[in-house]
């Protein structure tokens, strides 16, 4: 179904009295809170599959994992906001004809449904049930891994993406011997071009971790990871970080349109192909007018921003099209890495600073407009770049390449 067709079928949300939000992560919690902030007086039900109080995920790979914090629960008083919080309840399906959500605790009627079930980690084939193999997505995952780090075990991390690097950082801080195996030829291969990711490979060795690229896992055995070249890497524990996919298997057959990555295909106001059903956060893609393509953004900031658009739609106001400038950050190997915007392979890359140094940035230009920026230890570049991207600023590439010049002083 096209975005235009979706937009021509407005939901009956202005008359909504019962809003049900599925998923109690950042996107779901923020949607429930935003509804009350926008003056919605009907019932709001927030359904979460985990038994824990809703919590923030980024600290799991940092403070919670290292025992510096017991948890990361959101500072939200659900009772005072009159939000019916139902934890430990798994969504099983949607019956749009009856306007009912099926859960393992029974059906839940809705006038408007908001799907915010996020993403789930991709599992390593053949590793299910092998002792000592871990994922890092939930609070329970972090609780299981914390004593592993405390015992300073030999750890193999499968995947050198964002989560793999963050876990490797925490494991080295805890004193573990860490080997990271990555099937691609460099870390962050799915996110950054080779010339940008290459300098980051040295960060692993600098921290005392071993990075093995072009290394595919053949199998996991108790005490070792066997690679496709026959080599064996000692492993008291294995942490898998090979990506995530939208958690949408439960809506199969509901009529909600899914995209190529199993994500919910939302329109520019985060409406799905079904009347009265919205989708927000990691589980949904949306058309970006700014970047002229559909975006699937698996980042915290998207889960923070999208709920306001959903809430405004539900209370009967039509907000501007949802078209954020994506933002993401990562703390790894003593460096603060930030990325803002969205780049394509054809965009022009401009360096700011020496990538072998402690701080540098990379900018991407589409023709002459700044469309994305990666900043390593340069928060001012990030802050100024975000505003320039939002404004569609035209840049002078020569001025932009001077790291001593403020970014805002490099406009054409």
């Amino acid at each position: 179904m096209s975005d235009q067709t979706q937009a021509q079928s407005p939901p009956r949300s202005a008359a909504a009295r019962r809003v049900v939000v599925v998923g109690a992560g950042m996107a779901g919690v923020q949607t429930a809170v935003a509804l009350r902030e926008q003056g919605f007086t009907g019932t709001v039900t927030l359904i979460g599959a985990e038994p824990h109080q809703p919590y923030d995920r980024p600290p799991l790979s940092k403070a919670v994992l290292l025992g510096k914090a017991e948890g990361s629960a959101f500072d939200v008083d659900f009772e005072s906001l009159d939000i019916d919080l139902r934890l430990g309840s798994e969504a099983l399906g949607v019956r749009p004809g009856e306007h009912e959500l099926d859960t393992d605790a029974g059906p839940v009627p809705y006038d408007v449904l908001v799907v915010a079930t996020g993403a789930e980690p991709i599992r390593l084939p053949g590793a299910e049930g092998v002792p000592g193999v871990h994922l890092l997505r939930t609070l329970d995952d972090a609780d299981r891994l914390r004593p592993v780090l405390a015992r300073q075990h030999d750890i193999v991390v499968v995947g050198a993406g964002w989560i793999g690097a963050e876990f490797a950082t925490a494991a080295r801080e805890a004193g573990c011997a860490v080997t990271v195996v990555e099937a691609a030829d460099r870390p962050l291969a799915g996110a950054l071009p080779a010339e940008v990711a290459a300098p980051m490979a040295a960060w692993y060795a600098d921290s005392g971790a071993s990075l093995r690229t072009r290394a595919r896992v053949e199998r996991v055995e108790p005490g070792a990871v066997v690679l496709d070249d026959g080599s064996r890497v000692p492993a008291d524990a294995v942490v898998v970080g090979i990506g995530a996919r939208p958690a949408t298997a439960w809506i199969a057959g509901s009529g909600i349109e899914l995209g190529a990555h199993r994500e919910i295909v939302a329109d520019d106001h985060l409406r799905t192909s079904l009347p009265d059903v919205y989708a927000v956060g990691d589980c949904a893609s949306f058309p970006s007018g700014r970047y002229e393509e559909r975006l699937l953004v698996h980042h915290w900031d998207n889960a923070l921003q999208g709920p306001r658009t959903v809430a405004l739609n539900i209370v009967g106001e039509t907000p501007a099209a949802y078209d954020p400038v994506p933002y993401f950050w990562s703390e790894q190997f003593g460096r603060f890495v930030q990325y803002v915007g969205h780049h394509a392979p054809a965009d022009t890359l401009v360096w700011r600073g020496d990538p072998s140094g402690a701080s540098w940035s990379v900018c991407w230009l589409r023709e002459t407009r700044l469309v994305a920026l990666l900043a390593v230890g340069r928060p001012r570049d990030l802050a100024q770049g975000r505003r320039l991207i939002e404004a569609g600023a035209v840049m002078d590439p020569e001025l932009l390449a001077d790291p001593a010049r403020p970014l805002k002083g490099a406009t054409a």
Side-chain angles (χ1 to χ4, degrees):
M1 182 176 292
S2 70
D3 300 328
Q4 184 177 7
T5 303
Q6 289 175 303
Q8 291 173 349
S9 305
R12 298 179 286 114
S13 51
R17 302 303 304 160
R18 299 170 300 183
V19 176
V20 175
V21 183
V22 189
M26 171 63 79
V29 168
Q30 289 299 322
T31 298
V33 171
L35 282 166
R36 293 303 188 214
E37 290 177 345
Q38 297 300 327
F40 180 74
T41 57
T43 62
V44 177
T45 303
L46 179 60
I47 297 175
E50 294 183 54
H52 310 289
Q53 278 292 115
Y55 59 88
D56 204 5
R57 293 190 189 277
L60 296 184
S61 61
K62 306 175 184 74
V64 175
L65 191 61
L66 290 170
K68 298 177 180 179
E70 284 303 310
S72 54
F74 292 116
D75 185 18
V76 174
D77 189 337
F78 295 99
E79 187 175 355
S80 70
L81 290 172
D82 194 22
I83 294 169
D84 178 13
L85 182 60
R86 302 185 188 181
L87 300 175
S89 181
E90 187 175 356
L92 302 177
V94 181
R95 286 178 288 118
E98 292 78 17
H99 268 63
E100 284 189 337
L101 170 75
D102 286 323
T103 75
D104 57 4
V108 181
Y110 66 85
D111 292 313
V112 171
L113 179 67
V114 181
V115 181
T117 45
E120 56 194 6
I122 297 172
R123 297 178 180 273
L124 185 65
E128 292 86 349
V130 177
V133 177
H134 300 264
L135 299 168
L136 180 53
R137 181 69 181 179
T138 68
L139 184 59
D140 288 339
D141 292 337
D143 285 343
R144 282 188 288 266
L145 277 165
R146 193 156 46 181
V148 173
L149 266 60
R151 289 193 292 267
Q152 298 185 333
H153 278 173
D154 289 343
I155 293 177
V156 171
V157 181
V158 183
W162 299 114
I163 192 67
E166 290 188 358
F167 179 82
T169 299
R172 285 299 300 141
E173 187 175 332
C176 299
V178 178
T179 301
V180 181
V181 297
E182 167 59 51
D185 62 352
R186 62 188 187 275
L188 296 167
L192 298 173
E195 60 188 298
V196 178
M200 298 177 169
W203 298 355
Y204 288 78
D206 291 345
S207 76
S210 172
L211 173 64
R212 298 183 60 167
T213 56
R214 296 186 176 90
R216 293 187 176 275
V217 175
E218 182 72 27
R219 64 185 182 276
V220 179
E221 300 175 348
V225 171
V226 181
L227 303 179
D228 59 357
D229 63 0
S231 61
R232 298 168 59 86
V233 185
D236 296 312
V238 179
V239 177
V240 180
I242 55 176
R245 60 168 63 97
T248 57
W250 65 277
I251 60 172
S254 67
I256 296 176
E257 182 184 359
L258 299 181
H261 301 284
R262 293 184 6 192
E263 85 282 9
I264 296 172
V265 177
D267 71 4
D268 61 358
H269 288 81
L270 300 181
R271 297 176 292 223
T272 75
S273 57
L274 288 183
D276 309 314
V277 180
Y278 294 82
V280 65
D282 290 6
C283 65
S285 66
F286 56 89
S288 169
R290 186 191 314 275
Y291 292 105
E292 298 181 329
E293 64 178 286
R294 179 167 286 277
L295 300 183
L296 175 59
V297 180
H298 282 186
H299 296 324
W300 183 91
D301 195 60
N302 179 48
L304 180 68
Q305 293 193 60
R308 186 173 183 274
T309 293
V310 173
L312 286 170
N313 272 302
I314 291 173
V315 299
E317 297 183 28
T318 302
Y322 183 64
D323 197 6
V325 174
Y327 169 69
F328 175 69
W329 82 98
S330 177
E331 295 177 61
Q332 49 184 271
F333 308 118
R335 294 165 174 85
F336 189 45
V337 183
Q338 296 172 285
Y339 177 88
V340 65
H342 174 72
H343 71 271
D347 295 330
T348 302
L349 194 150
V350 179
W351 286 90
R352 284 172 59 79
D354 181 357
S356 66
S359 62
W360 47 275
S361 297
V362 175
C363 299
W364 283 268
L365 301 179
R366 189 161 301 175
E367 295 178 351
T368 54
R369 285 188 307 111
L370 183 66
V371 293
L373 180 143
L374 174 79
V376 177
R378 290 180 67 99
R380 183 174 296 179
D381 273 9
L382 190 288
Q384 293 182 11
R386 190 172 194 170
R387 290 191 290 269
L388 291 167
I389 293 169
E390 288 171 346
V394 174
M395 311 300 293
D396 182 319
E398 289 189 13
L399 299 179
L400 191 62
D402 179 3
R405 180 183 293 273
L407 210 66
K408 62 184 180 182
T411 55

